[in-house]
């Protein structure tokens, strides 16, 4: 067990007491001055302001302007067309927390996050003006809703993982990745380009693979929404070929009549037939004769 880190020296004991029994990540003060982190914050602020320009909303500080849910509510409406029945301006802490609960539930759904316990943000963290959680949320929103926006690459911060109890603070240092690395040499680019994309994907870290899966899931559900269908488990729902066949039809602009295939296959033979039909559809401009 260690004494309180420098960042907690001089803090009100009641403030430290509020973290009792929790494990929490805090960005090291030295990392807060990292030019890459400052650039990321600037890009995110500019992105929010340009997105909400028509609504005359201006953000100056991610730490101070995101916590009450107002900005996130407007971003969700503007980027995803989701209109929530929440009060426009929540004044009290309790009202802000209730508003954030509704907003983050809708946001997590749009981001394809099925289990909120696995996310790097939460109602409590956002409301407590946690910069690390706020950055993770905004980066995830950019990747989902505006993937063409260029974020500063390879942004990493040193964080302290804190566990607070009455005898002090147990702390561990680690590196937190906010944005992906970029290739720095031509050789690495050439090697990456020549490698099969699936092989590249399998080499990614688990959290990056999950990010890719969430993006794919969001894309699939966006295309399937016109058919009233939703995919929650890609491994299971794509295994029989039905969703794959319907998705190809949505992407290529045709619809395979339901009488041409079994929409509820019950055995391996029927599933293989559907997969073959999907493959044939994917090779040409329309369904097979």
């Amino acid at each position: 067990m260690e004494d309180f880190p420098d960042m907690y020296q001089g803090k009100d004991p009641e403030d430290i007491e509020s973290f009792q029994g929790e494990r929490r990540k805090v960005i090291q003060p030295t990392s807060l001055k990292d030019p890459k982190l400052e650039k990321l914050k600037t890009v995110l602020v500019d992105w929010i302001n340009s997105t909400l320009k028509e609504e005359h909303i201006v953000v100056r500080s991610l730490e101070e302007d995101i916590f009450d849910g107002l900005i996130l509510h407007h971003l969700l409406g503007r980027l995803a067309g989701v209109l929530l029945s929440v009060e426009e301006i929540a004044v009290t802490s309790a009202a802000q927390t209730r508003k954030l609960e509704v907003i983050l539930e809708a946001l997590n759904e749009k981001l394809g996050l099925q289990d909120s316990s696995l996310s790097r943000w939460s109602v409590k963290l956002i409301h407590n003006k946690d910069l690390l959680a706020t950055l993770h949320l905004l980066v995830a929103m950019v990747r989902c809703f505006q993937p063409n926006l260029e974020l500063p690459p390879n942004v990493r911060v040193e964080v302290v993982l804190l566990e607070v109890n009455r005898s002090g603070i147990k702390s561990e240092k680690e590196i937190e990745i906010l944005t992906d690395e970029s290739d720095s040499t031509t050789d690495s680019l050439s090697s990456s380009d020549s490698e099969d994309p699936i092989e590249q994907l399998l080499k990614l870290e688990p959290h990056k693979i999950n990010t890719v899966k969430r993006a794919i899931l969001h894309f699939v559900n966006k295309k399937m929404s016109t058919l009233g269908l939703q995919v929650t488990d890609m491994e299971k729902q794509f295994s029989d070929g039905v969703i794959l066949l319907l998705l190809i039809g949505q992407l290529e602009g045709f619809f395979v009549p339901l009488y041409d295939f079994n929409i509820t296959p019950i055995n391996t033979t029927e599933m293989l037939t559907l997969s073959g039909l999907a493959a044939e559809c994917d090779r040409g401009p329309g369904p097979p004769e």
Side-chain angles (χ1 to χ4, degrees):
M1 189 64 63
E2 302 178 7
D3 295 330
F4 293 139
D6 292 341
M7 67 185 75
Y8 277 88
Q9 298 296 337
K11 289 278 188 179
D12 189 329
E14 291 186 0
D15 292 338
I16 299 176
E17 185 76 17
S18 67
F19 295 109
Q20 287 285 346
E22 288 190 16
R23 289 171 61 84
R24 181 169 181 174
K25 290 181 180 180
V26 180
I27 300 177
Q28 284 275 55
T30 51
S31 280
L32 291 174
K33 300 176 183 179
D34 189 324
K36 289 184 177 181
L37 179 61
E38 290 294 332
K39 176 64 175 177
L40 176 62
K41 291 169 65 177
T42 299
V43 170
L44 290 172
V45 168
D46 291 344
W47 170 66
I48 293 172
N49 287 335
S50 63
T51 302
L52 302 181
K53 182 178 180 180
E54 294 183 8
E55 299 181 40
H56 306 289
I57 293 177
V58 178
V59 169
R60 293 184 173 84
S61 166
L62 297 181
E63 294 93 327
E64 298 297 328
D65 295 340
I66 304 297
F67 79 99
D68 62 357
L70 174 66
I71 302 301
L72 292 176
H73 182 206
H74 281 267
L75 284 174
L76 185 61
R78 175 67 62 174
L79 296 170
V82 176
L83 302 178
L84 300 174
S85 180
V86 294
E87 52 192 310
E88 177 67 11
I89 300 178
V91 179
T92 67
S93 178
Q96 291 167 356
T97 299
R98 289 194 301 270
K99 181 176 181 177
L100 276 172
E101 287 175 349
V102 176
I103 293 170
L104 287 185
E105 182 180 359
L107 254 179
N108 287 342
E109 182 179 347
K110 287 295 180 180
L111 294 175
L113 190 64
Q114 303 301 320
D115 186 353
S116 60
S117 66
L118 300 177
S119 71
R120 298 182 177 183
W121 55 85
S122 67
V123 172
K124 185 173 183 179
L125 288 174
I126 298 299
H127 191 253
N128 283 341
K129 303 179 183 181
D130 186 291
L131 177 60
L132 186 61
T134 302
L135 287 171
H136 275 307
L137 175 58
L138 293 175
V139 168
M141 291 175 66
V142 168
R143 287 172 173 166
C144 177
F145 300 119
Q146 199 166 344
N148 292 330
L149 179 67
E150 185 175 348
L151 295 176
N154 199 26
V155 180
R156 301 183 175 198
V157 292
E158 185 178 31
V159 300
V160 180
L161 182 60
L162 302 172
E163 184 175 352
V164 185
N165 59 37
R166 295 184 180 279
S167 61
I169 298 178
K170 180 181 179 181
S171 63
E172 299 176 9
K173 293 181 180 179
E174 58 184 50
I175 299 298
E176 188 89 1
I177 300 174
L178 291 170
T179 63
D180 296 333
E181 296 182 29
S182 63
D183 295 317
S184 58
T185 65
T186 304
D187 290 341
S188 63
L189 280 172
S190 299
S191 173
S192 175
D193 289 342
S194 63
E195 190 174 21
D196 184 270
I198 299 300
E199 292 181 0
Q200 294 180 39
L201 179 61
L202 293 176
K203 290 181 179 180
L204 293 177
E205 298 173 17
H207 74 275
K208 293 182 179 180
I209 293 177
N210 288 333
T211 299
V212 174
K213 289 175 66 176
R214 290 196 295 269
I216 293 174
L217 195 63
H218 173 74
F219 169 77
V220 171
N221 283 327
K222 185 176 181 181
K223 296 298 180 182
M224 300 300 289
S225 62
T226 56
L227 299 179
L229 297 175
Q230 182 176 26
V231 176
T232 57
D233 188 324
M234 288 193 295
E235 287 84 352
K236 291 182 179 179
Q237 290 178 264
F238 272 84
S239 63
D240 61 12
V242 174
I243 296 295
L244 180 60
L245 184 60
L246 295 174
L247 177 61
I248 292 173
Q250 290 295 98
L251 295 174
E252 297 293 335
F254 64 80
F255 182 76
V256 180
L258 298 182
Y259 56 75
D260 276 355
F261 65 95
N262 191 337
I263 199 169
T264 55
I266 59 175
N267 55 50
T268 303
T269 300
E270 292 179 349
M271 293 180 185
L272 289 174
T273 299
L274 272 170
S275 298
L277 181 58
E280 289 296 326
C281 290
D282 193 35
R283 292 193 188 105
E289 296 295 336

